[in-house]
Amino acid sequence: AGGDFEFSAALQILCGVMAILVAPAVLWSYAQFFPNLRSNVEFWHIAEQVATIQFLSLSLGLATRLLWFEAVDAVTPVFLSVVNKLRLAYLVVVVIPSLPVVVQAGVLPMVAVVLFAIMALLLGHLMGGPDLTYQAAIAVGCVARNLGLALFIAILNRDYLNVLPTLVGYALLGSLVTIPYSKWMKHRIHQHSV
């Protein structure tokens, strides 16, 4: 969406650290209100998942960029081209076959997913302040919730089959909701820089 790179990286690190702290607290609070809710999730399971999935890949990417900035800068257009082709492949290989799973979740959960994604974009946009690149980074970061962590928690609770349709729906519909926002923000950032 045209977000500021350094700010986006710092935001990703902060979100990873917060996931380690907040996810167990949220699960504990749910268990207080819903006594039948099982929670086999321990702090270290979440910390390990976040460290492995988010921090490892983010650290490798940042280290590569810092050590070989000019080389990374030179190959960035190639990587962007590959990323765009992978998005198309993702659409064909993952999105289209996943549609029956999303339909299985039902209309009401999917309407809730779309409304949640729109509200997350709006909230993130408003939290970004006057800087357009911060608005874009925070808004997209708000929508791009940690679905991997949600699935991991569901698997630990042996309940992933019940939540999988909603998680897949959020991944698909959240991405679709983000596309027009991203295009709009890229256009605004481009206009503002000219």
Side-chain angles (χ1 to χ4, degrees):
D4 180 88
F5 173 78
E6 288 80 14
F7 180 75
S8 297
L11 184 63
Q12 184 66 28
I13 292 168
L14 177 64
C15 288
V17 170
M18 292 306 295
I20 294 170
L21 301 173
V22 173
V26 169
L27 291 172
W28 179 84
S29 65
Y30 282 169
Q32 304 312 304
F33 291 106
F34 306 104
N36 295 333
L37 178 71
R38 293 173 308 190
S39 182
N40 300 324
V41 180
E42 294 180 21
F43 170 81
W44 291 111
H45 288 300
I46 294 172
E48 181 181 35
Q49 191 270 349
V50 169
T52 303
I53 301 300
Q54 291 187 3
F55 291 145
L56 180 62
S57 59
L58 187 61
S59 298
L60 289 173
L62 288 173
T64 303
R65 186 173 174 93
L66 288 173
L67 295 172
W68 300 290
F69 180 78
E70 291 168 1
V72 169
D73 229 21
V75 296
T76 296
V78 175
F79 281 130
L80 290 176
S81 175
V82 170
V83 165
N84 287 331
K85 287 174 179 56
L86 287 173
R87 284 183 185 153
L88 182 60
Y90 172 77
L91 178 70
V92 172
V93 174
V94 177
V95 173
I96 294 171
S98 298
L99 290 177
V101 175
V102 174
V103 171
Q104 177 186 346
V107 174
L108 190 58
M110 292 306 104
V111 168
V113 160
V114 169
L115 291 175
F116 184 83
I118 291 170
M119 289 187 311
L121 273 175
L122 179 62
L123 179 64
H125 183 84
L126 294 174
M127 288 173 45
D131 188 314
L132 297 176
T133 60
Y134 284 15
Q135 290 173 354
I138 294 174
V140 172
C142 285
V143 174
R145 302 308 325 138
N146 194 336
L147 293 174
L149 180 59
L151 182 59
F152 179 72
I153 291 169
I155 289 170
L156 287 178
N157 283 299
R158 294 170 182 78
D159 200 27
Y160 64 94
L161 292 177
N162 291 328
V163 298
L164 191 59
T166 304
L167 291 177
V168 171
Y170 187 82
L172 298 177
L173 297 175
S175 296
L176 290 175
V177 166
T178 304
I179 290 170
Y181 174 82
S182 293
K183 289 183 178 194
W184 176 64
M185 285 305 291
K186 283 180 183 177
H187 178 72
R188 286 187 68 203
I189 291 168
H190 177 72
Q191 279 185 326
H192 193 263
S193 65
V194 175

